[in-house]
Every structure is written in C-alpha cells, then in structure tokens.
Amino acid sequence: MKPKLAAFPKCYMDQLCVHHTMTLFEWIEQAATLGVDGLEFYSGFLRDDPLFLHQIRDMLESHQLAMPMLCCSPDFTQPDPVLLAAEIEREKRMIELTAFFGGRYCRVLSGQRRPGIDRAAGVARVVCVIKSLLPFAEQHQVVLTMENHYKDNYWEYPEFAQKMDVFMEIVDQIDSPWFGVNFDPSNTLLAGEEPLVLLERVKHRVVTMHASDRFLKNGTIEDLRREENAAGYAARLAHGIIGRGLNDYDTIFAALRSVGFHSWVSIEDGVNGMDELRQSAKFLRSKIDLHFPEPLEPQ
C-alpha cells in the first residue's frame, strides 16, 4: 500500500490563525487543486463551533479530501499546574476533533524549553502526561504522534525535546500502539543534527511524516553546526521547493519502505506560495510512486 499525500498551508499560517484574512473554506478550495489525498489541519484553524465544524467536514467530503492528521502544540513543560491541566484538557479536545474529522493521528509535543528547566524533571513530566493521555486516545481510536519539533509558530521558546537525545529519551519510555513518531527531516537540520541518523533510530516508530526542505543561504553545514544553540530559526537555512534542498528523500523513503511504512506524508512547506507547494506535491508524488510501487496483480 502506498503512503498517502496530505498538504499543510505553511504559507498561510498567519492569514488563517492571526489576521483571519483567509478562511479555512478558502484554503480547502485552493488545496483541492493540488492533487493530494488529504489536508493536515492545525488547531489554530478551528473554531469549536458545531456548525462550523460540520460545514468544514462536509466541504472536505465534497472534495474527497481526508483530514488524517491534526497538528497541535501542547505545552507539557508548563510549570504552573493549573495551566498544565488546561494544556492536557486542550489536547483531549484535539483528540476528539481528530476523531470527528475521521482522522487517525493527533500530534503531541514536549513543550517549550523555558530557561532553567531541568532536563530530568522535564522529561519525567512529559512522559507522565503523554502516558496519561493514551487511554483517552485509544477510546477515540487516535494515535498520538510525537514530532521531532523545532518551535510552534506562536511559541516564545523552542521545543524542549528539540535535540535528538532528549527526544529519544522521551520516545523510548512510551511503548503503546496509540503512540508513534511524526518524523520531520528538516527539523533535525534546524537542531544542527543529521536527519538520517534520527530516522535510523526511529524508523520502526514512524507513523506519519512531515515533508519539507531547507537550503543553505550561505556558509556550510559545519557553520550551521557551530550555530546550533542560537535562538530563533537558523539564519543560514531557508524554505523552498521539496527535493531541491538538503534532505535526501530517496534515502528517507527507502528507509521507510524497509519497515513497511504506508501511512501519511504531509507537505509542510510552501512558505513562498502555492506554486512552490504544487511543485513540492508533484515531486513527492513521484518519489512515493518510485519507492512504493503497487504490487503486481495475481495472474
């Protein structure tokens, strides 16, 4: 079975979430021309209003588009117990909305890497919270996907588990069919690390993938490594059309095929507009067809 292709409107995040100059209905109409199988939603796109939610679901169905993955950003390193409890309840609602749209995968994160946070205490808290959510996820038949993440668009601090060793310390402690990894190769580059090294460590746990690409605007990979602890997005790296940057998608897809991956790949790029998103979709579709050929029909 081939992996399916979804799209995420990285180019329209502020328009959809902050300025509200674009509606989710308008994004769905545009995305329906991309030739993808589904659309990944972000929690900030959604209003918790029954009429709105049903209209969005109906519109997806009218375009024969799935909503397989819900991208949300729970902040489980929140030190205030009251605010942490609110984050947990919000994640539960996101699980419910994933199920409402017929989705299978709902993202979880560790939380923000606030100054002074103790690593051991942070890891323990995140593991405890995610484990506490697993029965609720199972009840709704939704898999929680932990992403090797950089930073939510609207967070103050980067991801607590941005670095591979912290990410793996959390993932390795959670063993459940209702928990897996959302692999994002570009986020590994932003961490100053090697995507293929992380993929080798997690490939048996990968249940979804974010596809994007990064380009060095100047300097070398070694320069990037030396700057890996700088705040904010790495200034040397830029977004662009998938397949023309630093990520080796032939090796990535070969590794995923070797472990029987057949889930969703979501295009999380297109910051420079729909034309680049369309070219990225075409590239990824060609690579999926190459690395995941349909089995021959029995004679």
Side-chain angles (χ1 to χ4, degrees):
M1 185 185 301
K2 287 182 187 292
K4 294 182 178 180
L5 194 59
F8 184 89
K10 195 77 171 174
C11 48
Y12 297 133
M13 287 292 285
D14 283 350
Q15 291 93 321
L16 286 163
C17 299
V18 180
H19 309 305
H20 303 292
T21 54
M22 171 181 267
T23 68
L24 187 52
F25 300 99
E26 290 170 335
W27 160 240
I28 294 170
E29 285 289 348
Q30 288 197 42
T33 68
L34 290 171
V36 295
D37 306 298
L39 302 181
E40 178 185 9
F41 280 178
Y42 175 71
S43 56
F45 304 163
L46 302 174
R47 301 195 309 268
D48 206 349
D49 170 73
L51 177 60
F52 168 80
L53 295 172
H54 279 89
Q55 288 174 334
I56 291 296
R57 188 171 67 179
D58 290 346
M59 189 172 189
L60 287 171
E61 291 175 357
S62 72
H63 287 292
Q64 297 183 304
L65 290 167
M67 199 302 294
M69 306 159 61
L70 182 57
C71 182
C72 44
S73 301
D75 188 2
F76 294 150
T77 59
Q78 172 59 249
D80 185 314
V82 174
L83 295 179
L84 177 59
E87 291 290 329
I88 294 169
E89 289 306 308
R90 189 176 297 112
E91 182 70 11
K92 286 183 176 179
R93 183 57 181 147
M94 293 303 106
I95 292 169
E96 290 175 336
L97 289 178
T98 302
F100 170 82
F101 284 110
R104 176 72 171 168
Y105 305 100
C106 183
R107 189 171 76 172
V108 290
L109 298 174
S110 60
Q112 298 187 61
R113 192 169 68 238
R114 294 174 173 83
I117 188 170
D118 178 77
R119 170 171 167 167
V123 167
R125 181 186 303 162
V126 172
V127 169
C128 179
V129 171
I130 294 177
K131 283 183 174 181
S132 76
L133 286 165
L134 291 174
F136 192 83
E138 181 179 6
Q139 177 186 340
H140 291 83
Q141 298 293 287
V142 169
V143 178
L144 303 182
T145 58
M146 177 86 173
E147 182 179 342
N148 58 300
H149 195 233
Y150 167 60
K151 183 177 181 284
D152 182 88
N153 282 44
Y154 309 111
W155 276 4
E156 182 177 1
Y157 302 107
E159 180 78 24
F160 171 72
Q162 181 187 12
K163 292 293 187 178
M164 192 184 311
D165 59 342
V166 182
F167 180 77
M168 292 307 306
E169 189 174 350
I170 293 170
V171 169
D172 286 343
Q173 293 185 60
I174 306 173
D175 182 12
S176 168
W178 303 104
F179 177 82
V181 168
N182 180 63
F183 175 65
D184 187 321
S186 293
N187 283 342
T188 317
L189 292 170
L190 287 167
E193 297 177 331
E194 171 51 58
L196 299 178
V197 172
L198 176 62
L199 179 58
E200 187 60 29
R201 294 184 69 177
V202 300
K203 62 185 180 183
H204 291 88
R205 309 283 309 267
V206 173
V207 293
T208 55
M209 177 180 165
H210 277 167
S212 63
D213 226 335
R214 294 294 187 278
F215 303 78
L216 276 172
K217 292 188 288 187
N218 54 69
T220 66
I221 289 291
E222 288 67 34
D223 294 326
L224 180 65
R225 299 290 184 266
R226 285 192 289 270
E227 297 165 359
E228 63 187 29
N229 291 321
Y233 274 98
R236 294 183 187 276
L237 289 176
H239 280 270
I241 298 168
I242 298 173
R244 302 183 189 179
L246 295 169
N247 286 315
D248 180 353
Y249 275 92
D250 285 308
T251 302
I252 289 169
F253 282 142
L256 290 174
R257 185 189 177 195
S258 74
V259 293
F261 177 85
H262 58 270
S263 183
W264 285 86
V265 176
S266 180
I267 311 166
E268 197 182 43
D269 219 320
V271 296
N272 299 314
M274 284 293 290
D275 181 61
E276 289 196 0
L277 186 56
R278 202 177 308 280
Q279 292 182 65
S280 292
K282 182 178 180 181
F283 168 82
L284 287 168
R285 183 70 77 188
S286 70
K287 290 299 181 183
I288 288 171
D289 288 344
L290 175 65
H291 290 280
F292 299 87
E294 296 285 2
L296 294 174
E297 293 290 335
Q299 298 296 316

